[in-house]
Amino acid sequence: MTTNSSLIKTTCPRDCYDGCGILVDQEDGKVIKVKGNPEHPSNRGALCPKCAIGYNGVWLDETTRLLYPLKRIGPKGSGKFKRISWDLAIKEIAEQLTNTARQYGPDRIYHTHYTGTCSVIAGSFPSRFFTHLGATEVDPDTVCNAAGHTALNYVFGDSVTGFDPRTAKDSACIMVWGANPSHCGPHVNQNWLYSQSAKVIVIDPVRTETAAAADLHLQLRPGTDAALAYSIAHVIQCEGLVDSTYVSAHVKGYAEVLPLIKACTPQWGERATGVPAALIEAAARSYAKGPSLLWLGQGLQRQPQGGNVFRACAMLPALTGNIGKPGTGFYYLNNTLAIAERVGTAPIYRKPEPQSQPNTVSQMDMPSLLQDSSAIRFFLVWNCNPLASNPDQTSTRKGLAREDLFTVVIDCFMTDTAEYADIVLPAASFLEFDDLCASYFYLTVAAQVKCQEPLGESLPNQEIFRKLAKAMDLDDPALYEDDHAILGSTLKAAGIMDAWPDFAERGWAHISVEPLILWSEGEFPTPSGKIELASERAEADGHPRLPQPRIDSAPAPGKLRLLSPADKWLMNSSFGNDPRIQKQLGPALVVIHPETAGAFNIRDGDRVRLSNELGELDLTAKLSDAITPGALLSYKSRWLKTEPRAANVNILQAPTKTDMGESSSAHGTEVTISKIP
Ligand SMILES: Nc1nc2c(c(=O)[nH]1)N[C@H]1C(S)=C(S)[C@@H](COP(=O)(O)OP(=O)(O)OC[C@H]3O[C@@H](n4cnc5c(=O)[nH]c(N)nc54)[C@H](O)[C@@H]3O)O[C@H]1N2
Ligand SMILES: Nc1nc2c(c(=O)[nH]1)N[C@H]1C(S)=C(S)[C@@H](COP(=O)(O)OP(=O)(O)OC[C@H]3O[C@@H](n4cnc5c(=O)[nH]c(N)nc54)[C@H](O)[C@@H]3O)O[C@H]1N2
Ligand code: SF4
Ligand SMILES: [Mo]
């Protein structure tokens, strides 16, 4: 017998800084092996350990993947379903949508989504459908990074035009503030951050692998970043390191902020943050001397005053002129397609205008809204797993269990959330349809190429919404736009002139040949055209005019601050259902500083209980000085089904909104800890 084998080039579309290039061995139309592409500049042949396991494990496993539409036949959450046809599933969902809109109004239809896949079409096409209906969108970024976006928009008028990572060849210093690429972008960590000659400064309450390898690690107490930024600014000002030419031409509000800066000595900073004054001084000097890059992590703004923290940190490139020149700039999240349009490498391309702006609510309001029959009648979940990932798990579960809520979940797997659905629809995986990936770190666009037919009867997200639009007889042509038409126009928008098949063959492309030096013109899309340290827009929105050098109040006596950042072995909750990943994860841990543990009489390996007003969680204690004293660390996003008491760390997370952007303050969670006898 002869086999027909080939090697296909594609791209990982997970919510990850890396944007890895993948090679797929295919035989007789079936994926045999998923591996890293040695030619890809991001991962240079390697796949991260989680994807090496997951993509060759559950993602290909027909006994684990969802293969057919399912209809609930047991109580919500019982996981009892029967197989139904696509026709029946689509008909029932269309009827429910029509009836909900008629009886309660279209805004009682809610949909929630995020970055389950970040590919362009599968990540955005369904929103056209909901906007057309006038449904309510649960604002996706409010579970992740909205505070940072809001803050940077006040300061720079833009939050998604960072630096081009290629400019790092000209940097003398890279400051990584509240990001952990050793977990969240392992190849960026190895092949970008630590393959430059630049000095690396990491600011994190945890000695992550990224921090451990740094030239300087400022291990501050969580929630004290604004004070640290001000103390660094103080040293810069005191030692004559302010770039006054840059400031007078491009910065608004320096004179106003100066008295605050003058008050924040490094000695004051040491008391406020726990970072030795000498380290604050050393970091300030290296950063100011430059050329320097500043990477503001998403973890950094996931705290109660995350917006203020971001505004304070954003003073540093402004004061030192570390922006707009080779080797300089700030970075949060790059919107590569928007940058292509902005710098004019792309022809002007207009996306179909939505007929109206969607109504939105914050993810932080969902635990209570979900329980309110008058607010939500129909709930469609796609590209996310809110029961595992969102705050206040107990309320979220209660809301999903409501008998008068019609819930549809579209996923590749039977997640904890999907078990509460009335109808579950099977999504095709990234290996099963063509799409494009725009990296949010490197300024690249890459091809996601179909490597096999979708497993079972699964379908790409976009195809499911074309079916629904048709069943409801909706007349907007944008709801039916063909994938290859979208691929063509998106490539053009990125300034890439290849037609799809040629681009799929090529694999990826930068949006410019040479590294872009962003903001070199010194014009910012703020009202003044300058970087606004003092912001009237912030003031009009009820915030202070200036960033404030304040810190969070210490937890109440007996309470500790719990950080719950990203796990090395998971991608949010994705991969948590793979048995080989579960083996790597082991039992859920909480990391505690030996001094703190001593005060609670806790020893390494003890079973401990974390509790607060929302719930309790039993974990195994791991003693380590990798976490700052007085704080706790437990990684996010385990599947609930795999845990002894069907809960993960989000049972303890309050849906408290950040100061800006109504976003998640996951790392501001407070708990008590006790040994389980
Ligand atoms: N405690 C705590 N909680 C947190 C955070 C934290 O720091 N601490 N971080 C928050 C952050 S930053 C985020 S972004 C959220 C993320 O939380 P979620 O958005 O819920 O991310 P996942 O849990 O990975 O869920 C993505 C789902 O999409 C599915 N999927 C993959 N591909 C496709 C596809 O093509 N189509 C469809 N329909 N589905 C697909 C996957 O199988 C998976 O079930 O979690 C937040 N939760
Ligand atoms: N392996 C893996 N990779 C992922 C993900 C995953 O779940 N697993 N998730 C993806 C997603 S959705 C996102 S948003 C990104 C997130 O990527 P990152 O931006 O790296 O975010 P986090 O992992 O939440 O947190 C980063 C760091 O912030 C620190 N931190 C917490 N509180 C504070 C504080 O008060 N001050 C300072 N300075 N630091 C603090 C934490 O200790 C942590 O080391 O990663 C993506 N990549
Ligand atoms: S999750 Fe990130 S590191 Fe892993 S393969 Fe995908 S892009 Fe690469
Ligand atoms: Mo995220």
Side-chain angles (χ1 to χ4, degrees), residues 639-653:
W639 277 48
L640 311 183
K641 287 188 229 185
T642 63
E643 299 307 290
R645 289 171 70 190
N648 69 18
V649 69
N650 286 25
I651 198 163
L652 300 166
Q653 188 200 330

Side-chain angles (χ1 to χ4, degrees), residues 15-17 50 114-115 144-145 177-181 183-186 203-206 208 218 220-225 295-300 302-303 309 440 561 563-573 627 633 636-637 667:
D15 186 343
C16 175
Y17 294 97
K50 61 189 176 298
Y114 208 33
T115 47
C144 175
N145 53 35
W177 200 319
N180 179 16
H183 284 188
C184 298
I203 302 175
D204 198 306
V206 178
T208 61
L218 278 54
L220 78 181
R221 280 193 288 274
T224 65
D225 300 89
W295 175 351
L296 297 170
Q298 300 179 69
L300 175 60
R302 229 167 274 142
Q303 50 168 311
V309 164
Y440 62 73
R561 183 136 161 167
L563 311 183
S564 51
D567 198 299
K568 173 182 179 170
W569 289 102
L570 298 172
M571 165 52 61
N572 301 317
S573 74
I627 178 87
L633 166 70
K636 68 174 171 178
S637 301
H667 299 322

Side-chain angles (χ1 to χ4, degrees), residues 116-250:
T117 178
C118 287
S119 57
V120 170
I121 310 177
S124 66
F125 190 89
S127 294
R128 297 183 183 188
F129 173 85
F130 291 106
T131 307
H132 181 97
L133 292 186
T136 300
E137 178 187 43
V138 185
D139 181 353
D141 283 348
T142 55
V143 82
C144 175
N145 53 35
H149 285 304
T150 308
L152 294 179
N153 271 308
Y154 287 136
V155 182
F156 298 108
D158 186 331
S159 61
V160 291
T161 306
F163 53 70
D164 181 338
R166 290 174 295 176
T167 201
K169 66 179 173 43
D170 294 317
S171 307
C173 170
I174 304 177
M175 189 179 258
V176 181
W177 200 319
N180 179 16
S182 69
H183 284 188
C184 298
H187 302 108
V188 163
N189 193 65
Q190 188 183 339
N191 300 333
W192 180 78
L193 181 62
Y194 284 116
S195 75
Q196 316 290 342
S197 55
K199 185 167 184 167
V200 175
I201 302 173
V202 172
I203 302 175
D204 198 306
V206 178
R207 193 173 62 249
T208 61
E209 287 162 57
T210 301
D215 296 281
L216 292 179
H217 175 204
L218 278 54
Q219 193 171 15
L220 78 181
R221 280 193 288 274
T224 65
D225 300 89
L228 184 61
Y230 263 97
S231 308
I232 293 175
H234 178 98
V235 177
I236 290 169
Q237 193 271 328
C238 238
E239 301 194 358
L241 301 172
V242 171
D243 181 341
S244 8
T245 318
Y246 190 84
V247 169
S248 57
H250 304 296

